[in-house]
Amino acid sequence: MAMRFPSDGMEEDEVIRELKIRTREDLTFDSGRILGSMCTSPHPLARRVFEMFIDRNLGDPGLHTGSRRIEKEAVGMLASLLGLEGGYGHIVSGGTEANILAVRDMRNMSDSEKPELVLPRSAHFSFLKASDMLGVRLVWAELRDDYTVDVRDVERKITDDTVGIVGIAGTTGLGVIDDIPALSDLAVDYGLPLHVDAAFGGFVIPFAKALGYDLPDFDFRLRGVSSVTVDPHKMGMVPIPAGGIIFRDKKALDSISVPASYLAGGGVSQATITGTRPGASALATWALIKHLGFSGYVRVVDRVMKLSRWFASRIKLMDGLRLVREPVLNIVSFTSTAMDVGTLGTELRARGWGVSAHRGYIRIVMMPHVRKENLEEFLRDVSLLLAGNASNL
Ligand SMILES: Cc1ncc(COP(=O)(O)O)c(C=O)c1O
């Protein structure tokens, strides 16, 4: 339907009423029916802070110097969570922008004329965008049976044109963590930067480790790691948009900075893809980290990790379903031995569940908004669909 720009305005109440009606068809996180997203209902404090400071623009940091300092502190706290004193980076629009910035840095720091990036087959599609925009060829490394990247294949794929290596700490599909210590050794041996995409895992792994889960190192504690993506708007429970990119060295940030001279707050340089960008995201990130602290996030992660293991045990008991692999983080993926998974996914969506069926499995991301009763109801629907499918055979 073609929309016309209205000649006269509507009353505020009327606008809100219409929006409420029109968005009724949206799935909300509060309903507990979104099971396949890495986003969640933002924490009330982060929501409040976001609204309070909604007009701050970190694209013109000279105007909002207090906010810029707070962004630096937020980056510093994220770096410290990831084992680094100091650290350089930004709160950006999401994991996609963070990954693009990391690839841009690796390309700019190299003198190859045909830059290549070696990355796992399981990498997020944001690297396809990075490749397209930056003219960096993607060289895919194969996965092992446990769905982590085959480090020997990564090594085989390194050439004189390789500008960097990517490892993933919490893959999008299965939540597995690559052998980052081995990738770090490789990066050191070959003198290459290693970027770790911990967009999801960065706000899970440190807390899960503190709870006693046996997980590999994945961050700046490893010498070869030069940058990490870590997203506050995923398990950090900060409102969208809030991604994070952290570099070990200042020269990385310098390599992607351009002069930004006309700004009202005075000329500075800018490293982010976006120009005008929400200071509220950085402030909300800072506020929630300050409020919850390490122990607060440990409690959040404790609950979702336990729920994931409970859910995995239920899947194992159900006829016609099979776990793709034991969960590593708070993502549980399963497939069906009794029914086409694509059809199962479509039927579940038709019943109002927000799940995706891709690569032959359905993936449940146990975000903080997901409750046990939602999962019980979900499993009842899965059983009904499997039974219905069996009677159709
Ligand atoms: C591992 C990983 N990296 C990057 C991204 C991209 O993040 P965003 O959607 O915030 O741009 C995702 C999104 O799910 C992800 O799972």
PDB file of all heavy atoms in Angstrom, residues 96-109:
ATOM      1  N   THR A  96      27.395  -6.878  14.108  1.00  0.00           N
ATOM      2  CA  THR A  96      27.738  -6.710  12.695  1.00  0.00           C
ATOM      3  C   THR A  96      28.739  -5.569  12.519  1.00  0.00           C
ATOM      4  O   THR A  96      29.802  -5.744  11.915  1.00  0.00           O
ATOM      5  CB  THR A  96      26.463  -6.427  11.869  1.00  0.00           C
ATOM      6  OG1 THR A  96      25.592  -7.561  12.000  1.00  0.00           O
ATOM      7  CG2 THR A  96      26.776  -6.190  10.410  1.00  0.00           C
ATOM      8  N   GLU A  97      28.416  -4.428  13.088  1.00  0.00           N
ATOM      9  CA  GLU A  97      29.339  -3.291  12.956  1.00  0.00           C
ATOM     10  C   GLU A  97      30.678  -3.616  13.620  1.00  0.00           C
ATOM     11  O   GLU A  97      31.748  -3.289  13.085  1.00  0.00           O
ATOM     12  CB  GLU A  97      28.748  -2.013  13.552  1.00  0.00           C
ATOM     13  CG  GLU A  97      29.660  -0.806  13.328  1.00  0.00           C
ATOM     14  CD  GLU A  97      29.088   0.523  13.832  1.00  0.00           C
ATOM     15  OE1 GLU A  97      27.921   0.557  14.273  1.00  0.00           O
ATOM     16  OE2 GLU A  97      29.832   1.518  13.793  1.00  0.00           O
ATOM     17  N   ALA A  98      30.628  -4.270  14.780  1.00  0.00           N
ATOM     18  CA  ALA A  98      31.865  -4.608  15.491  1.00  0.00           C
ATOM     19  C   ALA A  98      32.744  -5.512  14.621  1.00  0.00           C
ATOM     20  O   ALA A  98      33.956  -5.293  14.500  1.00  0.00           O
ATOM     21  CB  ALA A  98      31.528  -5.295  16.817  1.00  0.00           C
ATOM     22  N   ASN A  99      32.133  -6.517  13.997  1.00  0.00           N
ATOM     23  CA  ASN A  99      32.921  -7.421  13.147  1.00  0.00           C
ATOM     24  C   ASN A  99      33.461  -6.693  11.915  1.00  0.00           C
ATOM     25  O   ASN A  99      34.591  -6.932  11.488  1.00  0.00           O
ATOM     26  CB  ASN A  99      32.080  -8.631  12.728  1.00  0.00           C
ATOM     27  CG  ASN A  99      31.900  -9.621  13.875  1.00  0.00           C
ATOM     28  OD1 ASN A  99      32.682  -9.622  14.832  1.00  0.00           O
ATOM     29  ND2 ASN A  99      30.880 -10.466  13.797  1.00  0.00           N
ATOM     30  N   ILE A 100      32.662  -5.807  11.355  1.00  0.00           N
ATOM     31  CA  ILE A 100      33.131  -5.054  10.183  1.00  0.00           C
ATOM     32  C   ILE A 100      34.342  -4.202  10.570  1.00  0.00           C
ATOM     33  O   ILE A 100      35.340  -4.132   9.843  1.00  0.00           O
ATOM     34  CB  ILE A 100      31.996  -4.181   9.588  1.00  0.00           C
ATOM     35  CG1 ILE A 100      30.903  -5.075   8.986  1.00  0.00           C
ATOM     36  CG2 ILE A 100      32.538  -3.220   8.531  1.00  0.00           C
ATOM     37  CD1 ILE A 100      29.634  -4.344   8.579  1.00  0.00           C
ATOM     38  N   LEU A 101      34.273  -3.580  11.753  1.00  0.00           N
ATOM     39  CA  LEU A 101      35.404  -2.746  12.198  1.00  0.00           C
ATOM     40  C   LEU A 101      36.657  -3.593  12.400  1.00  0.00           C
ATOM     41  O   LEU A 101      37.767  -3.174  12.063  1.00  0.00           O
ATOM     42  CB  LEU A 101      35.045  -2.010  13.490  1.00  0.00           C
ATOM     43  CG  LEU A 101      33.974  -0.914  13.347  1.00  0.00           C
ATOM     44  CD1 LEU A 101      33.622  -0.332  14.708  1.00  0.00           C
ATOM     45  CD2 LEU A 101      34.442   0.193  12.407  1.00  0.00           C
ATOM     46  N   ALA A 102      36.471  -4.784  12.931  1.00  0.00           N
ATOM     47  CA  ALA A 102      37.632  -5.661  13.162  1.00  0.00           C
ATOM     48  C   ALA A 102      38.272  -6.061  11.834  1.00  0.00           C
ATOM     49  O   ALA A 102      39.504  -6.044  11.691  1.00  0.00           O
ATOM     50  CB  ALA A 102      37.201  -6.908  13.934  1.00  0.00           C
ATOM     51  N   VAL A 103      37.435  -6.389  10.844  1.00  0.00           N
ATOM     52  CA  VAL A 103      37.983  -6.789   9.541  1.00  0.00           C
ATOM     53  C   VAL A 103      38.651  -5.585   8.874  1.00  0.00           C
ATOM     54  O   VAL A 103      39.710  -5.705   8.258  1.00  0.00           O
ATOM     55  CB  VAL A 103      36.878  -7.397   8.629  1.00  0.00           C
ATOM     56  CG1 VAL A 103      37.458  -7.779   7.270  1.00  0.00           C
ATOM     57  CG2 VAL A 103      36.233  -8.606   9.296  1.00  0.00           C
ATOM     58  N   ARG A 104      38.032  -4.429   9.061  1.00  0.00           N
ATOM     59  CA  ARG A 104      38.599  -3.201   8.475  1.00  0.00           C
ATOM     60  C   ARG A 104      39.987  -2.934   9.063  1.00  0.00           C
ATOM     61  O   ARG A 104      40.923  -2.571   8.341  1.00  0.00           O
ATOM     62  CB  ARG A 104      37.641  -2.056   8.785  1.00  0.00           C
ATOM     63  CG  ARG A 104      37.971  -0.769   8.095  1.00  0.00           C
ATOM     64  CD  ARG A 104      36.755   0.142   8.112  1.00  0.00           C
ATOM     65  NE  ARG A 104      37.156   1.523   7.966  1.00  0.00           N
ATOM     66  CZ  ARG A 104      36.782   2.495   8.804  1.00  0.00           C
ATOM     67  NH1 ARG A 104      36.020   2.223   9.844  1.00  0.00           N
ATOM     68  NH2 ARG A 104      37.180   3.719   8.596  1.00  0.00           N
ATOM     69  N   ASP A 105      40.100  -3.143  10.369  1.00  0.00           N
ATOM     70  CA  ASP A 105      41.407  -2.960  11.008  1.00  0.00           C
ATOM     71  C   ASP A 105      42.424  -3.954  10.441  1.00  0.00           C
ATOM     72  O   ASP A 105      43.534  -3.569  10.061  1.00  0.00           O
ATOM     73  CB  ASP A 105      41.257  -3.152  12.528  1.00  0.00           C
ATOM     74  CG  ASP A 105      42.601  -3.423  13.176  1.00  0.00           C
ATOM     75  OD1 ASP A 105      43.511  -2.602  12.989  1.00  0.00           O
ATOM     76  OD2 ASP A 105      42.736  -4.461  13.850  1.00  0.00           O
ATOM     77  N   MET A 106      42.038  -5.224  10.340  1.00  0.00           N
ATOM     78  CA  MET A 106      42.996  -6.240   9.857  1.00  0.00           C
ATOM     79  C   MET A 106      43.435  -5.917   8.427  1.00  0.00           C
ATOM     80  O   MET A 106      44.605  -6.028   8.088  1.00  0.00           O
ATOM     81  CB  MET A 106      42.388  -7.640   9.956  1.00  0.00           C
ATOM     82  CG  MET A 106      42.134  -8.056  11.402  1.00  0.00           C
ATOM     83  SD  MET A 106      41.739  -9.803  11.616  1.00  0.00           S
ATOM     84  CE  MET A 106      40.010  -9.813  11.362  1.00  0.00           C
ATOM     85  N   ARG A 107      42.477  -5.502   7.614  1.00  0.00           N
ATOM     86  CA  ARG A 107      42.827  -5.157   6.229  1.00  0.00           C
ATOM     87  C   ARG A 107      43.754  -3.948   6.190  1.00  0.00           C
ATOM     88  O   ARG A 107      44.774  -3.945   5.491  1.00  0.00           O
ATOM     89  CB  ARG A 107      41.556  -4.856   5.432  1.00  0.00           C
ATOM     90  CG  ARG A 107      41.833  -4.624   3.963  1.00  0.00           C
ATOM     91  CD  ARG A 107      40.752  -3.848   3.276  1.00  0.00           C
ATOM     92  NE  ARG A 107      40.601  -2.509   3.842  1.00  0.00           N
ATOM     93  CZ  ARG A 107      39.734  -1.612   3.398  1.00  0.00           C
ATOM     94  NH1 ARG A 107      38.916  -1.927   2.415  1.00  0.00           N
ATOM     95  NH2 ARG A 107      39.634  -0.415   3.952  1.00  0.00           N
ATOM     96  N   ASN A 108      43.413  -2.916   6.973  1.00  0.00           N
ATOM     97  CA  ASN A 108      44.212  -1.685   6.917  1.00  0.00           C
ATOM     98  C   ASN A 108      45.622  -1.865   7.471  1.00  0.00           C
ATOM     99  O   ASN A 108      46.533  -1.151   7.082  1.00  0.00           O
ATOM    100  CB  ASN A 108      43.506  -0.554   7.681  1.00  0.00           C
ATOM    101  CG  ASN A 108      42.264  -0.075   6.941  1.00  0.00           C
ATOM    102  OD1 ASN A 108      41.952  -0.592   5.876  1.00  0.00           O
ATOM    103  ND2 ASN A 108      41.570   0.891   7.502  1.00  0.00           N
ATOM    104  N   MET A 109      45.777  -2.812   8.384  1.00  0.00           N
ATOM    105  CA  MET A 109      47.095  -3.021   8.986  1.00  0.00           C
ATOM    106  C   MET A 109      48.002  -3.879   8.094  1.00  0.00           C
ATOM    107  O   MET A 109      49.179  -4.040   8.379  1.00  0.00           O
ATOM    108  CB  MET A 109      46.962  -3.719  10.354  1.00  0.00           C
ATOM    109  CG  MET A 109      46.213  -2.919  11.390  1.00  0.00           C
ATOM    110  SD  MET A 109      47.129  -1.492  11.978  1.00  0.00           S
ATOM    111  CE  MET A 109      48.045  -2.252  13.286  1.00  0.00           C
TER     112      MET A 109
END
